[in-house]
Amino acid sequence: MPLSVIRGGARRLAARVGKYEVPARHASCSPQTEGSVVALAEARRFISDAMRAVGTAKDNADFLAEVLVEADYRGHYSHGLNRLELYVDDVAAGSCLPAAQPRLLREGPSTAWVDGGHGLGPVVGRFCMQLAIDKAQQTGVGWVVAKGSNHYGIAGWYSMQALKKKMMGMSFTNTSPLVSPTRSKGAALGTNPISLAVPAGSDSYVLDMATTAVALGKVEMQRRRGEPLPPGWAQGPDGAATADAELAYKTQCLMPLGGAEDSSGYKGYGLALMVETFCGLLAGSAYGPDIRRWGSSGQNADLGQCFIAVDPAAFAPGFEDRAADLLSRLRTMEPADPSRPVLVPGDPERAHMDHVNKQGGVRYVPQQVESSEKLAKKLKISAMKILS
Amino acid sequence: MPLSVIRGGARRLAARVGKYEVPARHASCSPQTEGSVVALAEARRFISDAMRAVGTAKDNADFLAEVLVEADYRGHYSHGLNRLELYVDDVAAGSCLPAAQPRLLREGPSTAWVDGGHGLGPVVGRFCMQLAIDKAQQTGVGWVVAKGSNHYGIAGWYSMQALKKKMMGMSFTNTSPLVSPTRSKGAALGTNPISLAVPAGSDSYVLDMATTAVALGKVEMQRRRGEPLPPGWAQGPDGAATADAELAYKTQCLMPLGGAEDSSGYKGYGLALMVETFCGLLAGSAYGPDIRRWGSSGQNADLGQCFIAVDPAAFAPGFEDRAADLLSRLRTMEPADPSRPVLVPGDPERAHMDHVNKQGGVRYVPQQVESSEKLAKKLKISAMKILS
């Protein structure tokens, strides 16, 4: 399985990163400290069973499970098992059609426009990313957009596919309106993530970030944990920042990367608009304030997504050597605090995967385990087996 | 002159944006309130004369002047006349060769690799952006990178060229190491700007942002004005944030967009690394910590730059209508403060251009006028004529 190459690199790197500890307020890739450990294969089995219980064919259910569990493995808990109910509800409500196959609507030497047919996001995304890679092999660049898609899990799953071909990969998706354009009282754009994966010999880096300070899932996790929000994460109904995770989750209005206007939040807003341009505007899907509200399953999500592959071999020779050199030099910069080494994008994920490997599985917080047990009863499937 | 189309739209829009006032701490595009007004044509004449005095041919000197004065016109004062001495010094020192012509090194259907030959940044950039647009007309996407380039002014000048062909344009450049990778005591990456210009019928938007909270030029301007820095802009020599503009300018270590790690500054760092990947790593120019220190003219800058054009006509029909609709809906969102309407990227620049048009020229702060007078004496050219 080609991702194992990346995981192998991850293990070697985790050793180098050493005693990397994610600080308490750095919500990304921080291993859960309470709850129950579940083997990765068992988490996949559970997700696949749940999807099959609402009528998804086995191959698509298995693939969705792979993408969701990859998120938990990498430490992006908000986008893993935590999202299963959303997929189950969408399929049960008929707003996501689990058997739909993506269809090519228009094609050029370096471009394609795809109709996802309201199928599963990962199925649409895998098709489009493969197409982008194929085109980049011919012309140096492949730029593919899809309409009629659904939530596709972590953006990084798609960008990382390009690494197998020694290419750079990018992936973007629009999402339900959850983010305030700077100065606005309410939300009009999604958390609109950007992912870029870059090969660097036996090394690589993977940027996978929402264009907000945090993704809504991070607010969800603070709420599940009963913890307050740091400043600059989210707005209350009056348009002012709030620390109340419950109120923030109810208001559903995150702040863009940079926070308030005087700390350059308008740049994060600009990046969210860039992602919406590559997704909804190019693809002709729903966009901006017209995307269905977060958590509503009654209507099609009709998300727009964008997938780019670029072949570095089309440019200056020696790309991967330069990339490896730069990554290594960044990691060996003198840190302000000697106990916290400088990292590159993807290192926290590597440290987290190493942690999961050592632990024998991923640790889910108690509320997550409870929700899964309820779901198992509701769908009449076996509950997740707990390892410890 | 095709940019007049954009300026025409700007004027119509400035009327809509109405009484837009840039808040005191929003350093971008805030009209200068002290100093002397200079007609745009006179500012161009002065810059061109200065460049010719150090041996630049008239057409290249005139074009550099056009790009620099466009920055002042748009309110990006840090990248206009403020940068002239850098270009003069580089040419005088022989590290920038003002007669060099860009040369194609490798070409594919959608890609090109260009050697800038250490020529003037704007001359290299214009060549590459035109090539990207030509390729996008053939294949839907053009992706061009250059090595051996120099400072090219505002990134937005290049991305906006695509608007004339109803395309999206992007431009990126690496710059001298001035930014701390999150957790690092010192700088290793540049302010590495991202620009994206998007056509929307008679409207458009232009994102043009450093991947730091602010560009170094903004720190320079605070220093010239004798004002302190807001938090999250820059680090002192100990790796902690500082408000001292003089110390920050001396230390030359800005913080990435998002500021500290706990407010997601590692995302801004990731974006700066993305830009370096598209520029130095793809182009095989100098990159990261190897780029010459800011302000040193003794060695070649050997910057890497990246230019992308994408033809929306290769994807879903109706792109510009959707873009115009989204821009208009963003601008009419209910603002948290009724006196500060929601804007889209490029609106502050439009309001600033309208202000300059009404004023009959651009207002330069007293320190800027003084520096220009000194430069005029040194180069034996006529000083800038002051209008008022």
Side-chain angles (χ1 to χ4, degrees):
Chain A
M1 181 187 184
L3 269 180
S4 64
V5 178
I6 303 159
R7 285 172 190 157
R11 273 189 293 273
R12 282 192 303 281
L13 193 85
R16 264 205 275 164
V17 169
K19 288 182 194 159
Y20 169 69
E21 291 290 336
V22 181
R25 283 180 59 194
H26 187 307
S28 273
C29 309
S30 181
Q32 318 261 28
T33 51
E34 287 178 89
S36 311
V37 175
V38 176
L40 294 175
E42 172 62 5
R44 285 191 203 102
R45 191 278 307 160
F46 176 72
I47 292 173
S48 178
D49 280 1
M51 294 305 295
R52 292 171 70 189
V54 289
T56 308
K58 187 174 185 315
D59 54 347
N60 280 356
D62 283 351
F63 179 55
L64 179 74
E66 183 188 325
V67 174
L68 292 195
V69 173
E70 184 73 16
D72 289 329
Y73 184 39
R74 296 177 69 81
H76 292 265
Y77 292 105
S78 54
H79 285 63
L81 179 62
N82 183 51
R83 282 283 156 80
L84 174 59
E85 282 176 76
L86 175 91
Y87 292 90
V88 166
D89 290 350
D90 278 3
V91 169
S95 60
C96 176
L97 307 173
Q101 286 304 317
R103 200 163 55 92
L104 204 50
L105 294 175
R106 177 176 285 178
E107 199 175 8
S110 295
T111 61
W113 176 38
V114 169
D115 182 359
H118 306 297
L120 290 165
V123 173
V124 178
R126 179 174 54 178
F127 176 87
C128 292
M129 193 69 216
Q130 190 53 54
L131 199 53
I133 291 168
D134 292 347
K135 288 186 178 289
Q137 282 183 310
Q138 299 301 315
T139 67
V141 184
W143 192 300
V144 177
V145 302
K147 67 170 186 171
S149 192
N150 276 288
H151 300 87
Y152 74 171
I154 47 169
W157 194 91
Y158 309 93
S159 60
M160 284 192 292
Q161 299 310 302
L163 297 179
K164 300 172 192 170
K165 299 286 181 185
K166 296 178 170 299
M167 288 187 189
M168 302 199 304
M170 300 186 83
S171 128
F172 313 83
T173 181
N174 65 12
T175 58
S176 298
L178 283 172
V179 180
S180 159
T182 304
R183 300 182 172 191
S184 167
K185 211 172 198 173
L189 294 170
T191 52
N192 296 4
I194 296 175
S195 179
L196 168 68
V198 174
S202 63
D203 199 354
S204 66
Y205 81 85
V206 181
L207 180 68
D208 188 356
M209 55 172 267
T211 48
T212 47
V214 293
L216 185 69
K218 299 293 191 306
V219 173
E220 263 181 272
M221 299 312 287
Q222 292 294 100
R223 175 170 155 259
R224 279 185 197 260
R225 292 187 191 118
E227 286 174 18
L229 304 185
W233 280 26
Q235 294 183 181
D238 57 353
T242 182
D244 182 337
E246 192 64 44
L247 180 69
Y249 189 73
K250 216 176 280 169
T251 310
Q252 303 212 323
C253 191
L254 297 168
M255 293 173 86
L257 176 61
E261 182 168 2
D262 64 5
S263 51
S264 299
Y266 56 93
K267 294 188 179 183
Y269 158 37
L271 292 168
L273 180 58
M274 176 184 85
V275 172
E276 183 56 280
T277 303
F278 290 176
C279 295
L281 299 189
L282 275 186
S285 65
Y287 58 86
D290 290 341
I291 301 176
R292 70 180 195 185
R293 267 185 71 84
W294 179 253
S296 61
S297 283
Q299 64 179 110
N300 291 327
D302 188 18
L303 298 187
Q305 286 155 355
C306 177
F307 306 86
I308 303 171
V310 179
D311 187 359
F315 305 98
F319 173 82
E320 295 203 37
D321 294 340
R322 287 187 295 278
D325 172 61
L326 181 57
L327 296 183
S328 136
R329 288 166 73 186
L330 289 169
R331 290 196 191 98
T332 52
M333 294 287 294
E334 187 191 350
D337 170 353
S339 71
R340 297 167 71 202
V342 177
L343 305 173
V344 304
D347 283 353
E349 286 84 350
R350 285 160 157 152
H352 188 274
M353 289 187 285
D354 191 52
H355 174 84
V356 169
N357 292 340
K358 281 184 193 144
Q359 192 172 244
V362 64
R363 187 181 299 277
Y364 291 115
V365 295
Q367 296 92 324
Q368 183 74 78
V369 176
E370 258 174 59
S371 304
S372 303
E373 281 167 0
K374 274 186 204 157
L375 188 67
K377 270 183 203 151
K378 190 174 140 194
L379 299 177
K380 301 187 172 61
I381 59 172
S382 309
M384 277 195 312
K385 270 185 219 94
I386 303 298
L387 272 187
S388 58
Chain B
M1 178 187 185
L3 271 180
S4 64
V5 178
I6 303 159
R7 287 173 187 156
R11 273 190 292 274
R12 282 192 302 282
L13 192 84
R16 263 206 273 163
V17 170
K19 289 183 199 159
Y20 168 68
E21 292 288 336
V22 181
R25 282 181 57 193
H26 186 308
S28 273
C29 310
S30 179
Q32 319 260 29
T33 50
E34 285 179 90
S36 309
V37 175
V38 175
L40 296 175
E42 172 62 5
R44 283 191 207 102
R45 191 276 310 159
F46 177 73
I47 292 173
S48 178
D49 280 2
M51 293 305 294
R52 293 171 71 189
V54 288
T56 310
K58 188 175 185 314
D59 53 347
N60 279 357
D62 283 351
F63 178 55
L64 178 75
E66 184 188 322
V67 173
L68 292 195
V69 173
E70 185 72 17
D72 289 329
Y73 184 39
R74 296 178 69 82
H76 292 265
Y77 292 105
S78 54
H79 285 64
L81 179 61
N82 184 53
R83 283 281 156 83
L84 174 58
E85 282 176 76
L86 174 88
Y87 292 89
V88 165
D89 289 351
D90 278 3
V91 170
S95 60
C96 175
L97 307 174
Q101 286 304 319
R103 199 163 55 94
L104 206 49
L105 295 175
R106 179 175 284 178
E107 197 174 12
S110 295
T111 61
W113 177 38
V114 169
D115 181 359
H118 306 298
L120 289 165
V123 172
V124 179
R126 180 175 53 179
F127 176 86
C128 292
M129 192 69 217
Q130 189 54 53
L131 199 54
I133 292 168
D134 292 347
K135 290 188 177 288
Q137 282 184 309
Q138 299 300 317
T139 67
V141 184
W143 191 301
V144 177
V145 301
K147 68 171 185 170
S149 191
N150 276 288
H151 300 88
Y152 74 171
I154 47 170
W157 194 91
Y158 309 93
S159 59
M160 285 192 292
Q161 300 310 303
L163 298 179
K164 301 172 190 170
K165 299 287 182 187
K166 297 178 168 298
M167 288 187 188
M168 300 198 306
M170 300 186 84
S171 130
F172 312 84
T173 182
N174 65 11
T175 59
S176 298
L178 282 172
V179 180
S180 159
T182 303
R183 300 182 171 193
S184 167
K185 213 173 197 174
L189 294 170
T191 52
N192 296 5
I194 296 175
S195 178
L196 167 67
V198 174
S202 62
D203 200 354
S204 67
Y205 82 83
V206 181
L207 181 68
D208 188 356
M209 54 173 268
T211 49
T212 47
V214 293
L216 183 70
K218 298 295 191 306
V219 173
E220 263 181 274
M221 298 312 285
Q222 292 295 100
R223 175 172 157 261
R224 277 185 198 260
R225 291 188 191 115
E227 286 174 18
L229 303 185
W233 279 28
Q235 293 183 183
D238 57 351
T242 181
D244 183 335
E246 193 63 44
L247 180 70
Y249 189 72
K250 219 175 281 171
T251 309
Q252 303 212 327
C253 191
L254 297 168
M255 294 174 83
L257 177 61
E261 182 167 1
D262 65 3
S263 50
S264 298
Y266 56 92
K267 294 188 179 183
Y269 159 38
L271 292 169
L273 181 56
M274 175 183 87
V275 172
E276 184 57 279
T277 304
F278 291 176
C279 295
L281 300 189
L282 275 186
S285 65
Y287 58 86
D290 290 339
I291 301 176
R292 70 178 194 185
R293 268 185 70 85
W294 179 252
S296 62
S297 284
Q299 64 179 111
N300 291 326
D302 189 17
L303 298 186
Q305 287 156 353
C306 176
F307 305 86
I308 304 171
V310 179
D311 186 358
F315 306 97
F319 173 81
E320 294 205 36
D321 293 341
R322 287 188 294 279
D325 172 62
L326 181 57
L327 296 184
S328 135
R329 288 166 72 187
L330 289 169
R331 290 197 190 98
T332 52
M333 294 288 293
E334 187 189 352
D337 170 352
S339 72
R340 296 167 72 201
V342 178
L343 304 173
V344 303
D347 283 354
E349 285 85 349
R350 285 160 158 154
H352 188 274
M353 289 187 280
D354 191 52
H355 174 84
V356 169
N357 292 340
K358 280 186 193 142
Q359 196 172 241
V362 64
R363 187 181 297 279
Y364 291 114
V365 295
Q367 295 92 324
Q368 183 73 80
V369 175
E370 260 173 60
S371 306
S372 304
E373 281 167 2
K374 275 186 206 157
L375 188 66
K377 271 182 203 150
K378 187 173 142 194
L379 299 177
K380 301 188 174 58
I381 61 171
S382 309
M384 276 196 311
K385 270 186 218 88
I386 304 298
L387 271 187
S388 59

